[in-house]
Amino acid sequence: FCGGAFTLICPIYVSETAEDSVRGVLSSTLALFIVAGILFTYIVGSFTSWSVLSMISAIIPVILAIGMFFMPDTPRYLLMKGKDQEARKALKWLRGAETDEQIEPEIKAVI
Protein backbone atom coordinates (compact mmCIF):
# COMPACT_ATOMS: atom_id res chain seq x y z
CA PHE A 1 0.00 0.00 0.00
CA CYS A 2 2.76 2.45 0.95
CA GLY A 3 4.72 1.79 -2.21
CA GLY A 4 1.62 2.04 -4.38
CA ALA A 5 0.71 5.43 -2.98
CA PHE A 6 4.13 6.85 -3.77
CA THR A 7 4.19 5.49 -7.31
CA LEU A 8 1.23 7.78 -8.01
CA ILE A 9 2.37 10.88 -6.16
CA CYS A 10 6.11 10.91 -6.78
CA PRO A 11 6.17 11.11 -10.61
CA ILE A 12 3.67 13.97 -10.66
CA TYR A 13 5.50 16.02 -8.04
CA VAL A 14 8.87 15.38 -9.68
CA SER A 15 7.62 16.26 -13.16
CA GLU A 16 6.15 19.54 -11.93
CA THR A 17 9.08 20.64 -9.75
CA ALA A 18 12.28 19.29 -11.32
CA GLU A 19 14.46 21.37 -13.59
CA ASP A 20 14.40 20.38 -17.25
CA SER A 21 18.01 19.20 -17.15
CA VAL A 22 17.40 16.55 -14.46
CA ARG A 23 13.72 15.69 -14.91
CA GLY A 24 14.38 12.57 -16.98
CA VAL A 25 16.98 11.20 -14.61
CA LEU A 26 14.78 11.79 -11.57
CA SER A 27 11.81 10.15 -13.27
CA SER A 28 13.92 7.11 -14.17
CA THR A 29 15.17 6.65 -10.63
CA LEU A 30 11.62 5.83 -9.51
CA ALA A 31 11.78 2.57 -11.46
CA LEU A 32 15.20 1.84 -10.00
CA PHE A 33 13.93 2.35 -6.45
CA ILE A 34 10.90 0.14 -7.12
CA VAL A 35 13.18 -2.70 -8.25
CA ALA A 36 15.50 -2.10 -5.28
CA GLY A 37 12.47 -2.26 -2.97
CA ILE A 38 11.40 -5.58 -4.45
CA LEU A 39 14.93 -6.96 -4.00
CA PHE A 40 14.99 -5.65 -0.40
CA THR A 41 11.64 -7.34 0.25
CA TYR A 42 12.87 -10.68 -1.05
CA ILE A 43 16.07 -10.54 0.98
CA VAL A 44 14.61 -9.31 4.28
CA GLY A 45 11.45 -11.37 3.83
CA SER A 46 13.45 -14.58 3.73
CA PHE A 47 14.69 -13.87 7.28
CA THR A 48 11.62 -12.33 8.96
CA SER A 49 7.89 -12.86 9.27
CA TRP A 50 5.50 -11.01 6.96
CA SER A 51 4.28 -8.73 9.76
CA VAL A 52 7.82 -7.62 10.64
CA LEU A 53 8.61 -7.20 6.94
CA SER A 54 5.53 -5.00 6.52
CA MET A 55 6.57 -2.76 9.39
CA ILE A 56 10.15 -2.49 8.10
CA SER A 57 8.91 -1.75 4.58
CA ALA A 58 6.62 1.01 5.84
CA ILE A 59 9.36 2.99 7.60
CA ILE A 60 10.72 4.91 4.58
CA PRO A 61 7.33 5.70 3.00
CA VAL A 62 6.01 6.97 6.34
CA ILE A 63 9.06 9.22 6.77
CA LEU A 64 8.61 10.52 3.21
CA ALA A 65 4.89 11.10 3.77
CA ILE A 66 5.62 13.16 6.86
CA GLY A 67 8.28 15.10 4.95
CA MET A 68 5.84 15.89 2.15
CA PHE A 69 3.73 17.92 4.57
CA PHE A 70 6.62 20.40 4.70
CA MET A 71 7.08 20.60 0.92
CA PRO A 72 5.42 23.46 -0.95
CA ASP A 73 2.72 22.90 -3.52
CA THR A 74 4.07 22.76 -7.05
CA PRO A 75 4.49 26.13 -8.75
CA ARG A 76 2.45 24.90 -11.73
CA TYR A 77 -0.49 24.04 -9.45
CA LEU A 78 -0.26 27.37 -7.65
CA LEU A 79 -0.19 29.28 -10.93
CA MET A 80 -3.27 27.38 -12.13
CA LYS A 81 -5.06 28.52 -8.97
CA GLY A 82 -4.01 32.15 -9.56
CA LYS A 83 -1.61 32.26 -6.62
CA ASP A 84 1.31 33.91 -8.43
CA GLN A 85 3.20 35.11 -5.35
CA GLU A 86 2.97 31.72 -3.66
CA ALA A 87 4.17 30.06 -6.88
CA ARG A 88 7.20 32.35 -7.00
CA LYS A 89 7.94 31.68 -3.35
CA ALA A 90 7.63 27.89 -3.86
CA LEU A 91 9.85 27.91 -6.93
CA LYS A 92 12.38 30.09 -5.18
CA TRP A 93 12.48 27.62 -2.29
CA LEU A 94 12.71 24.58 -4.58
CA ARG A 95 15.54 26.08 -6.65
CA GLY A 96 17.40 27.67 -3.76
CA ALA A 97 17.30 30.95 -5.65
CA GLU A 98 18.27 34.15 -3.92
CA THR A 99 16.38 36.57 -6.17
CA ASP A 100 13.15 36.56 -8.14
CA GLU A 101 15.08 37.31 -11.34
CA GLN A 102 16.61 33.83 -11.20
CA ILE A 103 13.21 32.13 -11.35
CA GLU A 104 11.33 34.53 -13.65
CA PRO A 105 12.17 32.68 -16.91
CA GLU A 106 10.82 29.45 -15.46
CA ILE A 107 7.64 31.16 -14.19
CA LYS A 108 7.05 32.64 -17.65
CA ALA A 109 7.56 29.22 -19.25
CA VAL A 110 4.86 27.72 -17.03
CA ILE A 111 2.41 30.56 -17.72
Side-chain angles (χ1 to χ4, degrees), residues 9-46:
I9 297 167
C10 184
I12 294 169
Y13 194 83
V14 167
S15 68
E16 290 191 4
T17 59
E19 293 182 39
D20 293 340
S21 60
V22 294
R23 185 175 296 133
V25 173
L26 290 177
S27 297
S28 299
T29 57
L30 177 63
L32 176 66
F33 283 119
I34 289 172
V35 172
I38 293 169
L39 177 62
F40 174 81
T41 301
Y42 277 119
I43 292 170
V44 175
S46 65

mmCIF file of all heavy atoms in Angstrom, residues 9-46:
data_model
loop_
_atom_site.group_PDB
_atom_site.id
_atom_site.type_symbol
_atom_site.label_atom_id
_atom_site.label_comp_id
_atom_site.label_asym_id
_atom_site.label_seq_id
_atom_site.Cartn_x
_atom_site.Cartn_y
_atom_site.Cartn_z
ATOM 1 N N ILE A 9 2.081 9.507 -6.555
ATOM 2 C CA ILE A 9 2.375 10.883 -6.157
ATOM 3 C C ILE A 9 3.747 11.342 -6.649
ATOM 4 O O ILE A 9 3.890 12.454 -7.161
ATOM 5 C CB ILE A 9 2.297 11.005 -4.624
ATOM 6 C CG1 ILE A 9 0.880 10.710 -4.153
ATOM 7 C CG2 ILE A 9 2.732 12.385 -4.163
ATOM 8 C CD1 ILE A 9 0.758 10.501 -2.670
ATOM 9 N N CYS A 10 4.734 10.516 -6.505
ATOM 10 C CA CYS A 10 6.115 10.907 -6.783
ATOM 11 C C CYS A 10 6.342 11.381 -8.223
ATOM 12 O O CYS A 10 6.927 12.445 -8.421
ATOM 13 C CB CYS A 10 7.041 9.751 -6.436
ATOM 14 S SG CYS A 10 8.779 10.130 -6.627
ATOM 15 N N PRO A 11 5.900 10.647 -9.248
ATOM 16 C CA PRO A 11 6.172 11.114 -10.610
ATOM 17 C C PRO A 11 5.515 12.462 -10.933
ATOM 18 O O PRO A 11 6.098 13.278 -11.646
ATOM 19 C CB PRO A 11 5.596 10.024 -11.508
ATOM 20 C CG PRO A 11 5.437 8.842 -10.657
ATOM 21 C CD PRO A 11 5.269 9.328 -9.254
ATOM 22 N N ILE A 12 4.353 12.687 -10.396
ATOM 23 C CA ILE A 12 3.670 13.965 -10.657
ATOM 24 C C ILE A 12 4.420 15.110 -10.002
ATOM 25 O O ILE A 12 4.679 16.139 -10.630
ATOM 26 C CB ILE A 12 2.207 13.901 -10.161
ATOM 27 C CG1 ILE A 12 1.431 12.888 -10.974
ATOM 28 C CG2 ILE A 12 1.557 15.276 -10.235
ATOM 29 C CD1 ILE A 12 0.071 12.555 -10.423
ATOM 30 N N TYR A 13 4.789 14.948 -8.746
ATOM 31 C CA TYR A 13 5.495 16.018 -8.040
ATOM 32 C C TYR A 13 6.852 16.282 -8.689
ATOM 33 O O TYR A 13 7.242 17.430 -8.898
ATOM 34 C CB TYR A 13 5.665 15.665 -6.561
ATOM 35 C CG TYR A 13 6.067 16.849 -5.723
ATOM 36 C CD1 TYR A 13 5.107 17.739 -5.262
ATOM 37 C CD2 TYR A 13 7.396 17.097 -5.418
ATOM 38 C CE1 TYR A 13 5.461 18.845 -4.500
ATOM 39 C CE2 TYR A 13 7.755 18.189 -4.658
ATOM 40 C CZ TYR A 13 6.787 19.064 -4.206
ATOM 41 O OH TYR A 13 7.132 20.156 -3.465
ATOM 42 N N VAL A 14 7.558 15.218 -9.045
ATOM 43 C CA VAL A 14 8.873 15.384 -9.681
ATOM 44 C C VAL A 14 8.738 16.073 -11.028
ATOM 45 O O VAL A 14 9.500 16.988 -11.348
ATOM 46 C CB VAL A 14 9.585 14.016 -9.828
ATOM 47 C CG1 VAL A 14 10.780 14.104 -10.753
ATOM 48 C CG2 VAL A 14 10.013 13.500 -8.472
ATOM 49 N N SER A 15 7.762 15.663 -11.832
ATOM 50 C CA SER A 15 7.625 16.262 -13.159
ATOM 51 C C SER A 15 7.244 17.739 -13.088
ATOM 52 O O SER A 15 7.583 18.505 -13.984
ATOM 53 C CB SER A 15 6.597 15.496 -13.991
ATOM 54 O OG SER A 15 5.292 15.677 -13.466
ATOM 55 N N GLU A 16 6.566 18.148 -12.046
ATOM 56 C CA GLU A 16 6.154 19.543 -11.928
ATOM 57 C C GLU A 16 7.172 20.419 -11.218
ATOM 58 O O GLU A 16 7.091 21.638 -11.304
ATOM 59 C CB GLU A 16 4.803 19.641 -11.215
ATOM 60 C CG GLU A 16 3.668 19.124 -12.070
ATOM 61 C CD GLU A 16 2.310 19.448 -11.489
ATOM 62 O OE1 GLU A 16 2.236 20.133 -10.454
ATOM 63 O OE2 GLU A 16 1.311 19.012 -12.085
ATOM 64 N N THR A 17 8.138 19.821 -10.514
ATOM 65 C CA THR A 17 9.079 20.638 -9.752
ATOM 66 C C THR A 17 10.518 20.545 -10.234
ATOM 67 O O THR A 17 11.304 21.451 -9.973
ATOM 68 C CB THR A 17 9.056 20.270 -8.259
ATOM 69 O OG1 THR A 17 9.382 18.893 -8.110
ATOM 70 C CG2 THR A 17 7.714 20.563 -7.635
ATOM 71 N N ALA A 18 10.885 19.480 -10.929
ATOM 72 C CA ALA A 18 12.281 19.289 -11.323
ATOM 73 C C ALA A 18 12.665 20.222 -12.467
ATOM 74 O O ALA A 18 11.839 20.579 -13.310
ATOM 75 C CB ALA A 18 12.515 17.844 -11.745
ATOM 76 N N GLU A 19 13.932 20.590 -12.484
ATOM 77 C CA GLU A 19 14.457 21.373 -13.591
ATOM 78 C C GLU A 19 14.505 20.496 -14.837
ATOM 79 O O GLU A 19 14.629 19.273 -14.753
ATOM 80 C CB GLU A 19 15.861 21.872 -13.262
ATOM 81 C CG GLU A 19 15.886 22.876 -12.134
ATOM 82 C CD GLU A 19 17.279 23.392 -11.853
ATOM 83 O OE1 GLU A 19 18.042 23.609 -12.809
ATOM 84 O OE2 GLU A 19 17.595 23.561 -10.673
ATOM 85 N N ASP A 20 14.416 21.126 -15.999
ATOM 86 C CA ASP A 20 14.399 20.379 -17.253
ATOM 87 C C ASP A 20 15.627 19.482 -17.413
ATOM 88 O O ASP A 20 15.528 18.377 -17.935
ATOM 89 C CB ASP A 20 14.323 21.335 -18.443
ATOM 90 C CG ASP A 20 12.997 22.077 -18.500
ATOM 91 O OD1 ASP A 20 12.024 21.597 -17.891
ATOM 92 O OD2 ASP A 20 12.938 23.137 -19.156
ATOM 93 N N SER A 21 16.771 19.941 -16.945
ATOM 94 C CA SER A 21 18.014 19.198 -17.149
ATOM 95 C C SER A 21 18.083 17.892 -16.358
ATOM 96 O O SER A 21 18.834 16.992 -16.737
ATOM 97 C CB SER A 21 19.212 20.080 -16.790
ATOM 98 O OG SER A 21 19.140 20.477 -15.435
ATOM 99 N N VAL A 22 17.330 17.763 -15.289
ATOM 100 C CA VAL A 22 17.399 16.548 -14.459
ATOM 101 C C VAL A 22 16.067 15.807 -14.362
ATOM 102 O O VAL A 22 15.992 14.779 -13.697
ATOM 103 C CB VAL A 22 17.896 16.871 -13.028
ATOM 104 C CG1 VAL A 22 19.321 17.349 -13.049
ATOM 105 C CG2 VAL A 22 16.994 17.853 -12.334
ATOM 106 N N ARG A 23 15.049 16.304 -15.020
ATOM 107 C CA ARG A 23 13.718 15.690 -14.913
ATOM 108 C C ARG A 23 13.720 14.240 -15.364
ATOM 109 O O ARG A 23 13.159 13.359 -14.704
ATOM 110 C CB ARG A 23 12.705 16.503 -15.708
ATOM 111 C CG ARG A 23 11.285 15.990 -15.535
ATOM 112 C CD ARG A 23 10.278 16.868 -16.224
ATOM 113 N NE ARG A 23 10.289 18.175 -15.592
ATOM 114 C CZ ARG A 23 10.319 19.327 -16.268
ATOM 115 N NH1 ARG A 23 10.347 19.315 -17.579
ATOM 116 N NH2 ARG A 23 10.308 20.469 -15.630
ATOM 117 N N GLY A 24 14.357 13.936 -16.472
ATOM 118 C CA GLY A 24 14.377 12.565 -16.984
ATOM 119 C C GLY A 24 15.091 11.609 -16.053
ATOM 120 O O GLY A 24 14.630 10.496 -15.809
ATOM 121 N N VAL A 25 16.215 12.040 -15.525
ATOM 122 C CA VAL A 25 16.984 11.196 -14.607
ATOM 123 C C VAL A 25 16.179 10.929 -13.339
ATOM 124 O O VAL A 25 16.111 9.792 -12.863
ATOM 125 C CB VAL A 25 18.340 11.856 -14.264
ATOM 126 C CG1 VAL A 25 19.064 11.081 -13.182
ATOM 127 C CG2 VAL A 25 19.199 11.980 -15.503
ATOM 128 N N LEU A 26 15.568 11.971 -12.796
ATOM 129 C CA LEU A 26 14.783 11.786 -11.575
ATOM 130 C C LEU A 26 13.578 10.887 -11.808
ATOM 131 O O LEU A 26 13.225 10.078 -10.951
ATOM 132 C CB LEU A 26 14.329 13.141 -11.027
ATOM 133 C CG LEU A 26 15.421 14.020 -10.444
ATOM 134 C CD1 LEU A 26 14.838 15.362 -10.014
ATOM 135 C CD2 LEU A 26 16.087 13.345 -9.265
ATOM 136 N N SER A 27 12.959 11.011 -12.962
ATOM 137 C CA SER A 27 11.812 10.152 -13.269
ATOM 138 C C SER A 27 12.239 8.700 -13.426
ATOM 139 O O SER A 27 11.513 7.784 -13.045
ATOM 140 C CB SER A 27 11.114 10.638 -14.537
ATOM 141 O OG SER A 27 10.601 11.931 -14.336
ATOM 142 N N SER A 28 13.411 8.480 -13.985
ATOM 143 C CA SER A 28 13.915 7.113 -14.175
ATOM 144 C C SER A 28 14.311 6.457 -12.863
ATOM 145 O O SER A 28 14.242 5.235 -12.734
ATOM 146 C CB SER A 28 15.124 7.118 -15.108
ATOM 147 O OG SER A 28 14.757 7.612 -16.364
ATOM 148 N N THR A 29 14.743 7.246 -11.901
ATOM 149 C CA THR A 29 15.166 6.654 -10.634
ATOM 150 C C THR A 29 14.003 6.021 -9.872
ATOM 151 O O THR A 29 14.227 5.134 -9.060
ATOM 152 C CB THR A 29 15.855 7.684 -9.726
ATOM 153 O OG1 THR A 29 14.980 8.776 -9.497
ATOM 154 C CG2 THR A 29 17.150 8.168 -10.322
ATOM 155 N N LEU A 30 12.777 6.451 -10.163
ATOM 156 C CA LEU A 30 11.621 5.831 -9.512
ATOM 157 C C LEU A 30 11.581 4.342 -9.824
ATOM 158 O O LEU A 30 11.397 3.518 -8.919
ATOM 159 C CB LEU A 30 10.321 6.512 -9.932
ATOM 160 C CG LEU A 30 9.049 5.889 -9.366
ATOM 161 C CD1 LEU A 30 9.031 6.000 -7.848
ATOM 162 C CD2 LEU A 30 7.826 6.519 -9.978
ATOM 163 N N ALA A 31 11.781 3.987 -11.082
ATOM 164 C CA ALA A 31 11.782 2.571 -11.461
ATOM 165 C C ALA A 31 12.919 1.824 -10.777
ATOM 166 O O ALA A 31 12.746 0.682 -10.331
ATOM 167 C CB ALA A 31 11.890 2.439 -12.977
ATOM 168 N N LEU A 32 14.060 2.451 -10.671
ATOM 169 C CA LEU A 32 15.202 1.843 -9.996
ATOM 170 C C LEU A 32 14.885 1.571 -8.526
ATOM 171 O O LEU A 32 15.184 0.486 -8.005
ATOM 172 C CB LEU A 32 16.430 2.743 -10.116
ATOM 173 C CG LEU A 32 17.681 2.273 -9.385
ATOM 174 C CD1 LEU A 32 18.219 0.988 -9.998
ATOM 175 C CD2 LEU A 32 18.730 3.359 -9.402
ATOM 176 N N PHE A 33 14.268 2.532 -7.854
ATOM 177 C CA PHE A 33 13.931 2.347 -6.446
ATOM 178 C C PHE A 33 12.828 1.297 -6.255
ATOM 179 O O PHE A 33 12.820 0.593 -5.245
ATOM 180 C CB PHE A 33 13.527 3.666 -5.805
ATOM 181 C CG PHE A 33 14.699 4.551 -5.482
ATOM 182 C CD1 PHE A 33 14.824 5.797 -6.045
ATOM 183 C CD2 PHE A 33 15.694 4.109 -4.622
ATOM 184 C CE1 PHE A 33 15.914 6.604 -5.762
ATOM 185 C CE2 PHE A 33 16.790 4.907 -4.328
ATOM 186 C CZ PHE A 33 16.906 6.157 -4.900
ATOM 187 N N ILE A 34 11.930 1.183 -7.205
ATOM 188 C CA ILE A 34 10.901 0.137 -7.117
ATOM 189 C C ILE A 34 11.562 -1.236 -7.178
ATOM 190 O O ILE A 34 11.269 -2.128 -6.367
ATOM 191 C CB ILE A 34 9.846 0.303 -8.226
ATOM 192 C CG1 ILE A 34 8.984 1.530 -7.944
ATOM 193 C CG2 ILE A 34 8.983 -0.949 -8.351
ATOM 194 C CD1 ILE A 34 8.048 1.902 -9.073
ATOM 195 N N VAL A 35 12.473 -1.417 -8.124
ATOM 196 C CA VAL A 35 13.176 -2.699 -8.250
ATOM 197 C C VAL A 35 14.033 -2.964 -7.015
ATOM 198 O O VAL A 35 14.077 -4.091 -6.508
ATOM 199 C CB VAL A 35 14.030 -2.708 -9.543
ATOM 200 C CG1 VAL A 35 14.913 -3.934 -9.610
ATOM 201 C CG2 VAL A 35 13.118 -2.633 -10.756
ATOM 202 N N ALA A 36 14.700 -1.930 -6.501
ATOM 203 C CA ALA A 36 15.503 -2.098 -5.285
ATOM 204 C C ALA A 36 14.613 -2.475 -4.102
ATOM 205 O O ALA A 36 15.009 -3.291 -3.255
ATOM 206 C CB ALA A 36 16.278 -0.823 -4.980
ATOM 207 N N GLY A 37 13.415 -1.916 -4.040
ATOM 208 C CA GLY A 37 12.474 -2.260 -2.972
ATOM 209 C C GLY A 37 12.013 -3.701 -3.058
ATOM 210 O O GLY A 37 11.862 -4.386 -2.036
ATOM 211 N N ILE A 38 11.790 -4.171 -4.268
ATOM 212 C CA ILE A 38 11.402 -5.576 -4.451
ATOM 213 C C ILE A 38 12.543 -6.500 -4.018
ATOM 214 O O ILE A 38 12.320 -7.496 -3.318
ATOM 215 C CB ILE A 38 10.992 -5.840 -5.918
ATOM 216 C CG1 ILE A 38 9.704 -5.088 -6.232
ATOM 217 C CG2 ILE A 38 10.838 -7.331 -6.188
ATOM 218 C CD1 ILE A 38 9.348 -5.049 -7.704
ATOM 219 N N LEU A 39 13.766 -6.163 -4.406
ATOM 220 C CA LEU A 39 14.926 -6.956 -3.998
ATOM 221 C C LEU A 39 15.069 -6.945 -2.472
ATOM 222 O O LEU A 39 15.287 -7.995 -1.851
ATOM 223 C CB LEU A 39 16.197 -6.406 -4.648
ATOM 224 C CG LEU A 39 17.503 -7.095 -4.269
ATOM 225 C CD1 LEU A 39 17.487 -8.558 -4.703
ATOM 226 C CD2 LEU A 39 18.680 -6.357 -4.891
ATOM 227 N N PHE A 40 14.932 -5.777 -1.864
ATOM 228 C CA PHE A 40 14.991 -5.650 -0.405
ATOM 229 C C PHE A 40 13.937 -6.540 0.256
ATOM 230 O O PHE A 40 14.206 -7.231 1.239
ATOM 231 C CB PHE A 40 14.773 -4.185 -0.009
ATOM 232 C CG PHE A 40 14.681 -3.962 1.462
ATOM 233 C CD1 PHE A 40 15.828 -3.875 2.242
ATOM 234 C CD2 PHE A 40 13.443 -3.829 2.077
ATOM 235 C CE1 PHE A 40 15.734 -3.665 3.615
ATOM 236 C CE2 PHE A 40 13.335 -3.615 3.440
ATOM 237 C CZ PHE A 40 14.490 -3.539 4.213
ATOM 238 N N THR A 41 12.737 -6.537 -0.303
ATOM 239 C CA THR A 41 11.641 -7.340 0.254
ATOM 240 C C THR A 41 11.961 -8.828 0.190
ATOM 241 O O THR A 41 11.714 -9.563 1.146
ATOM 242 C CB THR A 41 10.327 -7.036 -0.490
ATOM 243 O OG1 THR A 41 10.048 -5.652 -0.364
ATOM 244 C CG2 THR A 41 9.172 -7.834 0.072
ATOM 245 N N TYR A 42 12.504 -9.268 -0.934
ATOM 246 C CA TYR A 42 12.868 -10.682 -1.049
ATOM 247 C C TYR A 42 13.963 -11.068 -0.057
ATOM 248 O O TYR A 42 13.918 -12.126 0.562
ATOM 249 C CB TYR A 42 13.323 -11.022 -2.471
ATOM 250 C CG TYR A 42 12.177 -11.297 -3.412
ATOM 251 C CD1 TYR A 42 11.976 -10.506 -4.525
ATOM 252 C CD2 TYR A 42 11.314 -12.358 -3.179
ATOM 253 C CE1 TYR A 42 10.929 -10.754 -5.391
ATOM 254 C CE2 TYR A 42 10.260 -12.626 -4.036
ATOM 255 C CZ TYR A 42 10.076 -11.821 -5.146
ATOM 256 O OH TYR A 42 9.041 -12.072 -5.990
ATOM 257 N N ILE A 43 14.955 -10.215 0.080
ATOM 258 C CA ILE A 43 16.069 -10.540 0.976
ATOM 259 C C ILE A 43 15.630 -10.520 2.433
ATOM 260 O O ILE A 43 15.841 -11.479 3.173
ATOM 261 C CB ILE A 43 17.251 -9.570 0.740
ATOM 262 C CG1 ILE A 43 17.849 -9.823 -0.643
ATOM 263 C CG2 ILE A 43 18.308 -9.731 1.821
ATOM 264 C CD1 ILE A 43 18.862 -8.785 -1.080
ATOM 265 N N VAL A 44 15.026 -9.426 2.882
ATOM 266 C CA VAL A 44 14.607 -9.306 4.279
ATOM 267 C C VAL A 44 13.467 -10.274 4.589
ATOM 268 O O VAL A 44 13.409 -10.849 5.674
ATOM 269 C CB VAL A 44 14.215 -7.842 4.610
ATOM 270 C CG1 VAL A 44 13.655 -7.729 6.011
ATOM 271 C CG2 VAL A 44 15.414 -6.932 4.451
ATOM 272 N N GLY A 45 12.577 -10.471 3.632
ATOM 273 C CA GLY A 45 11.447 -11.371 3.827
ATOM 274 C C GLY A 45 11.842 -12.811 4.038
ATOM 275 O O GLY A 45 11.112 -13.586 4.671
ATOM 276 N N SER A 46 13.010 -13.195 3.524
ATOM 277 C CA SER A 46 13.453 -14.576 3.733
ATOM 278 C C SER A 46 13.955 -14.820 5.158
ATOM 279 O O SER A 46 14.099 -15.964 5.580
ATOM 280 C CB SER A 46 14.546 -14.935 2.718
ATOM 281 O OG SER A 46 15.691 -14.144 2.934
#
